[in-house]
Amino acid sequence: MMSKRFGRAAIALMASVLATTVGVVGQVPEVGAAGFSFSIATNGSIGNVGIDAIGGGYGGGGEYDGYLRWDSGGGITKMTIQNGYYQDAPGQNAYSIAGSPTSLRLELYPKPTGDIKSTYDIWSGNFGGAAAERKSGNFNFGDVPLPTIGVDDAFRIEGAVVSSTPVADGRLKVDLFQIPCGYPDTCLDTKYTNTGTSVGAFASGASRGSRWSGSVGWPGHYIVFAEDTATGRKVRGFMDIGNGQVPAIDLDVACFGLLRCTYDFGNVPVPSGGFHPVSPTRILDTRFGLGIIGSLRPGDGRLGDPNPVNRRAETLNHELKVTGVGGIPSSGVSAVLLNVTAVAPPAWGYVSVSPRPPGFGDVFDDQNTYGALPSTSNLNLTTGETVPNLVLARVGAGGTIRFTYAGFGPMNVIADVAGWYDTGAPSVLQGGLGFTGLAAPARLLDTRNNIGGIGARFQIGDDRALKVAGIAGVPADAQSVVLNITSGAATGVGFVTAYPNGQVRPNASNLNLNPAETRANLSVVKVGADGKIRLAVFETDTDLMVDIFGYYGARGGKTTAVDPIRVVDSRTGLGTTKQPFGPGETRNVQVAGVGGVPANATAVMLNVTAADPDSWGWLTVWPAGGKQPNSSNLNWINGKIVPNMVMVAVGANGQISIYNDLGRTDVLVDVFAYVT
């Protein structure tokens, strides 16, 4: 029998009266003692019962307040602890707990053999543990069933343990308790005895190799207490389990992969891994209920309304599960790369994309993940103007990211996945690519002056191939390229799609166009046949410029996604002089050794924003110490706040250079990831 390693959660659990039972009736031999009764549906099992008296200074954690033993022949005896193991106490066929507890809890551990020294084993036998609890006033538990393989949907609970470091036997310790859903959740209910006592499956044990077990249990909703003994991290949270649907426990990600959790010890790991490109795939389109149902509402999902249905709806309106969809695996994922588009915003504002954080305090509190609002942004909005931006988002609890929308009315949002980053776990390592930033970013295409040699201005429906690998410092075996795609002087509203040459054009977009406006967006595009990509223009004609800043391949560094942090703000003097960039001005700013980026970083993934420019203009970003390239990263018109993602190699002294061409503008730099 195992001692209790965590405080027990009160549960209310359902009933199955099985054929063979053994029973115990509580006696009350002293004033103030709590008598109780129950029977066990043995089905030929043997085992031990731990009794936990809760309330009034009794129980609720630590060691049990008493023990009983049952055997297949119908005998139940009191047990005591002597010399580290359990022994029968003679002459005891009934039991009571001293004091006046507010509730009593029974935890039943089936055992593999009749030897009193044999221990509870989650990996063997046909029976699982069960737990039942009753409040004071009536401690008649009734007929308590055990999860039994082949009976009442019971099955062996077994799942994977995922980690970037070796998983030795016993590294992961798990306590698992089946509980009822809390309104307004919907899931399978628990069992009840014939007296109305709730009963749930329960297990306590350690992993074997890269597998964890919850013994034999019933399908349903569970509270999980998990400890990674290698790092000391301890997590409690919730998991839905079904036959053939046992989630992996991922030791390298937030909450070990659980959606709702709190940390009892330690904090979220920060894994590094390779990039896995995918063909552009739409995973979010609120116009059609894909990913999130209904238009995105202002806020971040928190809601003070006491109605739990409304609170749940608000949370779901701001969170998107990104693991297990769009070619992204369900575990071993540290971050995702998305092209996020705000469709015709009703007013000015901004959108921030961030990982869903663990909760704090009470794990049952559905608002416990909400703290301070993000201090960074990804998209800046102008009334009625559809705007995209590439977003690298660290994956949060439950494989989920959160959208924070500062605005003045509902707005539709689209997200197309371009790829994902692994955690370094062996199960997903194959195919992970490293990033190399170019020391000298270069222009590959400019239809205004025939750079690129693929023709002049794009017309509606034009779909052309562009060479991107084997030129401009990019090796022929590069598998994905980092491009800044810029439109010039479009005559109408439209969009651009970039995709691998030789593949079917996807239902996705990289750049949205507006009349007479110069617009840029960063894109990471898989390299197709002959080292080429394709560019397709829809609904309008436009000039296109393409600048290359780096590539992903078999060589290069691993990427580490971080919680977004601002490292430069010329409005406040953060990381640079406290004044706008002037016309023709270049500044070097520090990006390595600040904001959680290590000094040895070789490249950074940034969101760079031009704020309140007083004329039209553009910015160029490149590694400090190098020659200013003939390329651009951001383009804007007078008065607009314009962001764009930038992936750039780190230059001399851990710095990058930023050049402003015309007018005056403030510049903001937010870090989302780095490469080592």
Side-chain angles (χ1 to χ4, degrees), residues 340-345 379-382 385-389 512 514 519:
V340 179
T341 303
V343 181
L379 284 81
N380 292 82
L381 312 176
T382 300
E385 186 174 301
T386 298
V387 292
N389 199 12
N512 294 80
N514 286 314
R519 170 75 62 80

Side-chain angles (χ1 to χ4, degrees), residues 36-211:
F36 62 93
S37 63
F38 67 96
S39 60
I40 303 172
T42 66
N43 280 344
S45 66
I46 57 176
N48 300 329
V49 184
I51 302 105
D52 197 7
I54 303 171
Y58 300 95
E63 293 295 331
Y64 292 109
D65 297 281
Y67 300 94
L68 298 174
R69 176 190 173 198
W70 83 86
D71 59 44
S72 59
I76 290 187
T77 56
K78 179 178 177 180
M79 301 174 65
T80 58
I81 300 177
Q82 293 183 8
N83 301 321
Y85 62 90
Y86 302 102
Q87 292 182 331
D88 290 340
Q92 297 290 334
N93 292 314
Y95 199 62
S96 61
I97 293 290
S100 301
T102 56
S103 62
L104 277 180
R105 180 177 174 84
L106 307 180
E107 294 184 353
L108 282 64
Y109 296 87
K111 299 175 66 177
T113 73
D115 182 358
I116 193 62
K117 298 181 183 180
S118 66
T119 57
Y120 165 64
D121 184 3
I122 59 174
W123 295 94
S124 65
N126 295 321
F127 307 98
E133 186 171 321
R134 283 193 72 89
K135 302 298 183 183
S136 60
N138 182 1
F139 289 142
N140 174 17
F141 287 84
D143 301 309
V144 181
L146 284 176
T148 305
I149 287 181
V151 177
D152 204 13
D153 299 322
F155 65 98
R156 184 167 298 283
I157 298 172
E158 185 177 341
V161 181
V162 179
S163 176
S164 58
T165 55
V167 183
D169 285 354
R171 174 175 169 179
L172 176 67
K173 295 182 179 179
V174 176
D175 280 353
L176 197 70
F177 301 88
Q178 187 181 10
I179 62 174
C181 284
Y183 182 77
D185 288 327
T186 56
C187 61
L188 292 174
D189 204 351
T190 51
K191 310 298 180 186
Y192 290 95
T193 72
N194 59 340
T195 63
T197 305
S198 55
V199 180
F202 123 80
S204 180
S207 59
R208 285 183 178 175
S210 60
R211 307 294 294 176

Side-chain angles (χ1 to χ4, degrees), residues 445-447 458 485-487 496 511 535 537 542-546:
L445 173 69
D446 191 334
T447 59
F458 277 70
I485 303 175
T486 305
S487 67
V496 178
L511 181 63
L535 297 166
V537 174
T542 186
D543 281 306
L544 287 182
M545 292 79 80
V546 175

Side-chain angles (χ1 to χ4, degrees), residues 5-10 60 173 175 177 222-227 233-239 254-256 258-265 358-364 368 397:
R5 296 185 290 109
F6 299 97
R8 302 309 193 195
K173 295 182 179 179
D175 280 353
F177 301 88
Y222 288 77
I223 185 168
V224 180
F225 300 82
E227 177 184 358
R233 293 188 180 98
K234 296 180 181 180
V235 164
R236 69 175 68 195
F238 301 99
M239 180 183 290
C255 294
F256 296 168
L258 303 178
L259 178 64
R260 291 176 58 189
C261 98
T262 60
Y263 277 81
D264 293 325
F265 186 83
F360 57 90
D362 182 6
V363 72
F364 288 92
N368 75 343

Side-chain angles (χ1 to χ4, degrees), residues 344-371:
W348 62 270
Y350 66 87
V351 174
S352 296
V353 183
S354 57
R356 175 188 166 115
F360 57 90
D362 182 6
V363 72
F364 288 92
D365 178 6
D366 65 1
Q367 301 287 292
N368 75 343
T369 64
Y370 297 103

